[in-house]
């Protein structure tokens, strides 16, 4: 069975400082992993995805994530936070069936001016 | 190009009433998904269509929930005898194929059952 744990429900950082959103997964098979972002009153948007190619994945808006099999982690990072990054971020693993997405509970990113 | 659209954006209804929520996927996408998102939680899978058929409806919570996609494009999620616990944001997504790829999400329908 697949599962996802986002270790922080809220993360608060100052503008211009690094961002780290933590995600651990459990999967019986080689997983596909995703990060989605949800801005207030907007639809979910894909930030990046890992599908067994390079372990360091670059996404949109300067975000990247590293797949670490030994740690079963897929943490999301950004070197310098911007006010527009304030949103809810979801870590997602695809099930063995490959169509069903298993979602974490989300991490709310707060950016302080 | 047009993304996934959902109507209505907001729906307020009374306990016991019937509601229909509509999803218009991206043109040409064969796969369509419905999710439900409660406050403070990630989306929860409800049902997946490949073409006109429901390939997996294991996420539907009970037999009050039903979804159709008669022509393989637009889909309607139907909820009978609504309950207050059905209040949530209902999300629709589509993808050009199944298997490991990105799902494109609509803005959702916020359902409130009074």
């Amino acid at each position: 069975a697949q599962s996802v744990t986002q270790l922080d429900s809220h993360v608060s950082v100052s503008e211009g400082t690094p961002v780290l959103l933590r995600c651990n997964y459990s999967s019986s098979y080689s997983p596909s992993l995703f990060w989605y972002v949800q801005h207030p009153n907007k639809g979910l948007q894909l930030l990046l995805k890992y599908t067994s190619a390079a372990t360091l994945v670059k996404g949109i808006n300067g975000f990247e994530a590293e797949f670490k099999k030994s740690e079963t982690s897929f943490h999301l990072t950004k070197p310098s936070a911007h006010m527009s990054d304030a949103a809810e971020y979801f870590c997602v693993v695809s099930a063995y069936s490959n169509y069903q997405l298993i979602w974490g509970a989300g991490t709310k990113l707060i950016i302080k001016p | 190009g047009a993304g996934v659209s959902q109507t209505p954006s907001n729906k307020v209804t009374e306990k016991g009433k019937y509601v229909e929520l509509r999803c218009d996927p991206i043109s040409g996408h064969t796969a369509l998904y419905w999710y439900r998102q409660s406050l403070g939680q990630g989306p929860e899978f409800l049902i997946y269509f490949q073409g006109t058929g429901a390939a997996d409806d294991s996420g539907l919570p009970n037999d009050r929930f039903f979804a159709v996609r008669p022509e393989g494009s637009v889909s309607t999620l139907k909820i009978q005898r609504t309950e207050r616990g059905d209040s949530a944001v209902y999300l629709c997504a589509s993808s050009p194929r199944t298997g490991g790829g990105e799902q494109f999400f609509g803005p959702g329908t916020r359902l409130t059952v009074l």
Side-chain angles (χ1 to χ4, degrees):
Chain A
Q2 275 81 9
S3 67
V4 175
T5 302
Q6 291 185 244
L7 297 162
D8 306 291
S9 60
H10 293 77
V11 169
S12 180
V13 302
S14 297
E15 189 176 20
T17 64
V19 174
L20 170 64
L21 305 184
R22 298 182 295 165
C23 172
N24 285 103
Y25 70 91
S26 171
S27 178
S28 304
Y29 304 92
S30 295
S32 293
L33 292 157
F34 309 80
W35 277 96
Y36 276 82
V37 61
Q38 188 173 36
H39 287 92
N41 300 316
K42 293 194 176 180
L44 287 153
Q45 181 184 19
L46 182 71
L47 271 181
L48 50 81
K49 64 181 178 183
Y50 165 78
T51 54
S52 76
T55 56
L56 183 61
V57 182
K58 293 188 183 300
I60 62 172
N61 300 334
F63 284 93
E64 62 182 38
E66 186 172 7
F67 173 70
K68 292 187 176 180
K69 186 175 181 180
S70 60
E71 298 176 10
T72 61
S73 69
F74 190 57
H75 301 334
L76 182 71
T77 61
K78 182 173 180 178
S80 176
H82 192 272
M83 293 301 291
S84 62
D85 295 328
E88 185 106 28
Y89 292 79
F90 293 94
C91 182
V92 185
V93 63
S94 72
Y96 173 66
S97 61
N98 258 349
Y99 58 81
Q100 195 175 128
L101 300 182
I102 310 299
W103 295 74
T107 297
K108 186 170 184 178
L109 179 61
I110 300 160
I111 311 296
K112 297 178 289 186
Chain B
V4 178
S5 63
Q6 292 185 245
T7 54
S9 55
N10 280 283
K11 176 70 177 179
V12 180
T13 191
E14 293 179 343
K15 180 175 177 295
K17 299 288 189 183
Y18 168 82
V19 297
E20 290 190 350
L21 311 179
R22 176 189 167 108
C23 172
D24 228 310
I26 293 172
S27 178
H29 281 193
T30 58
L32 185 145
Y33 317 80
W34 283 100
Y35 294 86
R36 179 168 69 175
Q37 186 176 20
S38 300
L39 195 63
Q41 297 182 22
E44 171 193 16
F45 170 79
L46 295 178
I47 187 170
Y48 151 62
F49 287 90
Q50 180 59 33
T52 60
D56 182 354
D57 64 358
S58 63
L60 295 177
N62 51 60
D63 61 6
R64 295 186 297 106
F65 288 75
F66 189 71
V68 296
R69 195 187 185 198
E71 298 178 359
S73 178
V74 171
S75 176
T76 305
L77 179 66
K78 308 180 181 193
I79 310 174
Q80 299 177 319
R81 304 183 304 281
T82 52
E83 299 178 356
R84 292 195 180 88
D86 299 335
S87 297
V89 175
Y90 289 81
L91 298 168
C92 176
S94 70
S95 65
R97 58 173 180 84
T98 57
E102 177 182 0
Q103 294 181 16
F104 296 81
F105 283 81
T109 294
R110 182 176 299 277
L111 175 66
T112 303
V113 182
L114 301 177

